[in-house]
Structure formats: structure tokens, C-alpha cells
């Protein structure tokens, strides 16, 4: 999944990595880590958000077609991107993602992540999804 949620992988790079667009095609979608999600907190002051606030903020942006991910956080009144909130475990938003199903281990090694980043020419945000 891309660090910049609006990025779309060029076709040649997608074919090299056997990557594929998100289920929504070329639009931004939320990529949730499932049961691995422990808390969502403010990247500025560290306050934990109530699940209701986050769900409502995502729903509002969804109905706008995710044309923006910017929100004003309730704890310190700072405008930030939903993609930049502190997710424990990592999750976020993307137009494109690469999935490895049942990898028999948790995370990519630093070398594997660097290799993928080099091949794609774009930074990635690794996530561990538990559904
Ligand atoms: Zn805050």
C-alpha cells in the first residue's frame, strides 16, 4: 500500500510486481488491518480517538468520493490527513496495494521492503491484516 494514498502504479511496474488496483479500481479506499487494530490516535498530541469519531470522519470522506482525506482532529483542533493518523497497527488509504496471502510470517524484512520500494520507485506502507 502506498504512503501517498492518491498514487496509482504505472502498468509496467504493476506487471513486474504482480500488483493490482484496489477493489474500487482507481479510487482511494480505506485499507483496514481488521482485528489487529488496537487504537487510533492523534499524530500531534497523542490523544486516542473514540471509534465513533473516526468512523464518522471516514464515512464523510467516503461519501465525498475520498476527494480529500483532510480532517480537523477533535483533541487539538489541528487539520491533518486521515492517512497520517497514528494507527496501531498500521493501516490507511490507498488507490493501489500489493497483497501477500498467508505468508507464514508477519512482516517483510527491511531488505524485502527496500527491494520492493526500489522496484516500484515509490515508498510503501506495510500492513498486517487479520480478518
Ligand atoms: Zn491532538
Amino acid at each position: 500500500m502506498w504512503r501517498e494514498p492518491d498514487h496509482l502504479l504505472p502498468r509496467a511496474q504493476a506487471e513486474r510486481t504482480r500488483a493490482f488496483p484496489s477493489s474500487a479500481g482507481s479510487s482511494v479506499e480505506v485499507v483496514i488491518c481488521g482485528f489487529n487494530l488496537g487504537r487510533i490516535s492523534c499524530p500531534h498530541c497523542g490523544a486516542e480517538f473514540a471509534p465513533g469519531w473516526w468512523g464518522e470522519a471516514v464515512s464523510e470522506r467516503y461519501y465525498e468520493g475520498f476527494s480529500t482525506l483532510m480532517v480537523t482532529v477533535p483533541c487539538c483542533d489541528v487539520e491533518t490527513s486521515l492517512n497520517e493518523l497514528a494507527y496501531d497497527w498500521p493501516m490507511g488509504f490507498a488507490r493501489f496495494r500489493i497483497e501477500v496471502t498467508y505468508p507464514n510470517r508477519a512482516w517483510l524484512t527491511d531488505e524485502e521492503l527496500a527491494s520492493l520500494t526500489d522496484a516500484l520507485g515509490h515508498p510503501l506502507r506495510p500492513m498486517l491484516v487479520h480478518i
Side-chain angles (χ1 to χ4, degrees):
M1 152 175 186
W2 300 112
R3 287 221 172 121
E4 290 109 36
D6 204 33
H7 186 83
L8 188 58
L9 190 67
R11 184 178 187 87
Q13 289 176 335
E15 288 171 353
R16 273 205 312 259
T17 58
R18 297 184 186 168
F20 50 90
S22 69
S23 60
S26 61
S27 61
V28 172
E29 67 175 11
V30 61
V31 184
I32 297 175
C33 63
F35 290 116
N36 286 339
L37 180 62
R39 65 190 299 243
I40 304 170
S41 53
C42 177
H44 299 281
C45 75
E48 184 172 353
F49 300 125
W53 175 83
W54 183 83
E56 192 171 306
V58 171
S59 291
E60 286 175 14
R61 296 300 169 262
Y62 170 80
Y63 288 117
E64 296 167 357
F66 286 128
S67 58
T68 180
L69 294 174
M70 298 307 288
V71 293
T72 301
V73 293
C75 44
C76 55
D77 210 32
V78 171
E79 187 177 58
T80 189
S81 168
L82 286 169
N83 197 50
E84 299 307 319
L85 300 181
Y87 295 100
D88 181 19
W89 291 13
M91 57 184 224
F93 298 78
R95 290 177 70 191
F96 208 91
R97 64 184 181 209
I98 300 167
E99 290 183 3
V100 178
T101 307
Y102 304 113
N104 292 326
R105 60 190 166 106
W107 298 97
L108 294 171
T109 65
D110 290 345
E111 292 77 22
E112 290 169 332
L113 185 60
S115 176
L116 265 177
T117 298
D118 288 347
L120 299 172
H122 200 279
L124 298 166
R125 178 185 292 179
M127 293 176 37
L128 191 61
V129 177
H130 181 196
I131 50 176

